[in-house]
Amino acid sequence: KRFMGKQKQKSNKKFGVQLEEDIRGIFRENPKAELNYKQVAGFLEINDKVLRKLVFDTLLDLAESGYLKQTQRGKFKIGKRLNLIEGTVDVARRGNGFVITDKLDQDIMIPAKHMVGVLHGDRVLVELKTSRRANRTEGRIVEVLDRDKRKFVGTLEKERKHAFVVPDDFKMNVDFYIPAGKEKNAVSGEKVIVKITDWPESAKSPFAEVVEVLGSVESNDVQMRSILASSDIKYEFPDEVIRQANLIDMQLDPAEIEKRRDFRDTLTFTIDPIDAKDFDDAISVEQLDNGLVRVGVHIADVAHYVPQGSALDIEAKERGNSVYLVDRVIPMLPEHLSNGVCSLRPNEEKFVFSAVFDLTEQGEIKKEWFGKGVINSDRRFIYEEAQIIIETGEGDHAEEITQCDKIAKNLRTERLSKGGLEIVSSELRFELDDKGMPINVYKKTSKDANKLIEEFMLLANKRVGRFVGDVKGNKKPVSLVYRIHDKPDQEKVEQFAVFVSKFGQSFRFKNDRDIAFQMNALFKKMKDDGNFNMIQQMAIKSMAKAVYDTDNIGHYGLGFEYYAHFTSPIRRYADLLVHRILFDVLNGKRTAYPELNKIAVHISATERKAVDAERSSRKYFQAQYLSDQIGEEFTGFITGITDWGMYVEMHENHCEGMVPLKAIKFDQFYFDEAEYALIGRRSGESFTVGDEVKVRLSRVSLVKKQIDLELLID
């Protein structure tokens, strides 16, 4: 037997180490198995009594260390310990995988040779292992946890007796084999949704069946539905949810109005994008005799219409948030609620949950009040209208809007002085024709009117978070879903410092808090530089991601000790939860909200899915906008560099494409990480982020949502 052979060649100590490693391997390969020492010895082909005793002793040692756990006397299974971690697989272009987990500061690298039978997006159990390379955490996947629930989107390619589905996601490293009769009448070239039925160890491709036929790949509607299905986002509501929503009356109950604070005679307005349909928030303004300004932040009272545990509530929780694609909105709540009953439309009486502040013009709070109210919005402004009023001082309710603008600017100054990051946001927008085709692409930059609304929403969110979370005296703690943002990872910030040095800028910081101040100083210095947006985006990438959690650690990016989402319950489930909990606190109740932290984790995940889907829809419409411009030349600047190419944003249309390294003919280029540049082996010519280049549009793929460019050299 193999152990007896090893015993002759090795010392007892080395043999014991080898035995332990082989036992670990048995449980890794059988992560769900419960085995006794006889079964383990059988796996190892050990019959000798002395060695069997050693097997049993080793099992006890592994149980004591936490690697195994003894489920019953003499039976063992793999244990949940520090080096067994759950995570989600992200597949890189070269076949390596990275397991993303909240448990570690960095992703776990899985070599390509260990990715057999594993798909991008799989939820897995991974065992950590020692890496030969510094600053890298490596692992080995021991179990795929929940693939059975997943569905995949791709294009059907039919053959005589069977078919294959080629997945849309380039990170999927396999096609899906569809046996005859499992195509659901789909024809070659159609988009379909499939689910895996089996994956034999001997098969390169998983067996699957078509569960839904989406239709022609040339249809925008099919492409958007494909994006949603790929992100596991539902685009239709169950019948019972629609039925419950439609039963809700648009008219307000007079008895309920009597219970609420009445703001109907107070000037109230909304400021939103021109294409907005659901209005979560409104602002009321009232000049007080003592010189203070009373500003009310009024939020749609969704909780009044969506009872906890109802079909509406369960569906909203599952969705987590609304999703905003280029040409459509996938709402969290049915349209009768999101665009009708709850939406704070002008000249309609609406129930609200309000945060009311008596403020000085400098933004100092002298008094605050939280509670249920009723409003009647006097006017709907779009951002462009409000911006003209702010700039000229003329127009409807100009005095109140300019007064709010002054307070908002002072609130912003105060927030930044305490360490809030000053991010100037710009958003890629599309103008669509009546057939839903893109006819223009432009960037929308946040101006004073946007910032006015933003600052009052931030104020309300901050004060609600503090009101519930700042426990003093003998008050018992109340569980709340906070919006948290961890401090930056210093290694990533140091990489950012190297990056900005390419632009002749120095970035130094003393401590975590100082990072935000130094970034603001850098942003101010470079605000008129052509590379400003890119510098700012790289700064954001160096930061942690904001998530929902019941454990409050504050919001680093905003510089707030307490922060909770209160202002958008039509489109975010977190806000609906916060409304319910705040209402309980105001009324001295302690309603149980089971698995609150589990919900926080879930809605953080649905938010990430929405962001991915929204990004994919923008990529698709960029590709579609350029699809009839093949061969045309553009100028642009390099926005990113990798070891497979450079990304270029074109000045004329703001669309981003990629120049593959292999497509650069005049030299062989390689990616120098230290210099963060592409360098030609023969010429020594280099390209780095921010460089202006000339490119030709060489290829567009709507299916892959990909724009390929060719680098032009004068």
Side-chain angles (χ1 to χ4, degrees), residues 393-435:
E394 297 178 358
D396 290 351
H397 312 301
E399 183 180 348
E400 290 83 2
I401 286 178
T402 53
Q403 191 170 42
C404 285
D405 178 60
K406 287 179 184 177
I407 296 173
K409 285 184 167 77
N410 287 325
L411 288 170
R412 186 177 182 83
T413 300
E414 174 72 7
R415 179 167 62 81
L416 298 179
S417 73
K418 292 184 176 178
L421 276 169
E422 185 170 19
I423 302 296
V424 179
S425 59
S426 62
E427 183 183 358
L428 193 68
R429 303 292 293 269
F430 296 82
E431 182 183 348
L432 306 179
D433 64 17
D434 55 4
K435 295 180 180 178

Side-chain angles (χ1 to χ4, degrees), residues 280-293:
D280 279 288
D281 55 82
I283 298 289
S284 68
V285 188
E286 185 179 359
Q287 186 69 51
L288 303 181
D289 293 337
N290 57 7
L292 300 178
V293 180

Side-chain angles (χ1 to χ4, degrees), residues 603-618:
I603 59 180
S604 295
T606 61
E607 180 182 53
R608 288 192 295 272
K609 287 181 182 180
V611 169
D612 289 343
E614 290 161 6
R615 185 183 296 119
S616 290
S617 81
R618 289 194 295 272

Side-chain angles (χ1 to χ4, degrees), residues 111-355:
K113 63 183 179 182
H114 294 317
M115 289 292 293
V116 178
V118 179
L119 297 177
H120 174 71
D122 279 351
R123 189 75 183 166
V124 298
L125 190 66
V126 61
E127 181 188 26
L128 302 185
K129 42 188 290 199
T130 305
S131 172
R132 295 177 185 175
R133 299 190 186 186
N135 301 321
R136 175 188 282 183
T137 303
E138 289 193 7
R140 179 178 178 275
I141 293 170
V142 298
E143 185 182 1
V144 176
L145 297 174
D146 65 353
R147 182 187 297 149
D148 291 345
K149 300 175 184 176
R150 296 183 62 200
K151 294 177 182 176
F152 306 88
V153 179
T155 304
L156 189 83
E157 293 184 359
K158 209 165 186 178
E159 299 185 7
R160 288 181 65 186
K161 293 185 178 180
H162 58 263
F164 282 92
V165 169
V166 180
D168 283 0
D169 193 337
F170 73 88
K171 293 188 175 187
M172 290 292 175
N173 46 10
V174 295
D175 296 339
F176 300 99
Y177 174 77
I178 313 296
K182 299 294 184 181
E183 312 96 326
K184 206 170 185 177
N185 298 320
V187 300
S188 284
E190 284 191 314
K191 285 276 188 187
V192 296
I193 302 175
V194 301
K195 70 173 182 180
I196 295 175
T197 55
D198 191 20
W199 196 343
E201 288 187 17
S202 58
K204 291 184 179 179
S205 295
F207 287 36
E209 65 178 349
V210 175
V211 295
E212 185 177 349
V213 180
L214 295 174
S216 169
V217 296
E218 297 177 358
S219 162
N220 279 6
D221 182 62
V222 168
Q223 292 288 358
M224 293 302 103
R225 289 170 63 195
S226 297
I227 287 170
L228 294 167
S230 296
S231 298
D232 193 27
I233 295 170
K234 296 165 69 174
Y235 44 85
E236 293 178 344
F237 286 96
D239 291 342
E240 176 57 21
V241 173
I242 295 292
R243 189 190 69 81
Q244 274 194 15
N246 289 340
L247 287 174
I248 298 172
D249 196 340
M250 288 283 292
Q251 299 301 314
L252 303 190
D253 179 2
E256 177 65 25
I257 291 176
E258 291 300 315
K259 300 176 186 177
R260 294 170 175 253
R261 184 167 172 177
D262 196 338
F263 297 94
R264 288 176 292 182
D265 292 332
T266 304
L267 174 63
T268 305
F269 52 84
T270 60
I271 306 178
D272 289 283
I274 191 170
D275 55 355
K277 293 180 180 177
D278 54 341
F279 308 119
D280 279 288
D281 55 82
I283 298 289
S284 68
V285 188
E286 185 179 359
Q287 186 69 51
L288 303 181
D289 293 337
N290 57 7
L292 300 178
V293 180
R294 177 167 292 164
V295 177
V297 179
H298 306 289
I299 309 301
D301 191 2
V302 176
H304 177 74
Y305 298 104
V306 180
Q308 184 181 349
S310 64
L312 275 168
D313 180 51
I314 292 168
E315 182 71 11
K317 179 168 62 177
E318 184 180 343
R319 290 172 179 245
N321 42 258
S322 297
V323 182
Y324 295 84
L325 305 186
V326 168
D327 66 344
R328 70 196 66 195
V329 177
I330 313 303
M332 184 181 79
L333 297 166
E335 193 169 319
H336 179 64
L337 286 178
S338 60
N339 294 359
V341 174
C342 297
S343 187
L344 307 184
R345 301 186 299 197
N347 305 311
E348 294 182 9
E349 294 185 348
K350 298 288 182 177
F351 287 145
V352 291
F353 205 152
S354 304

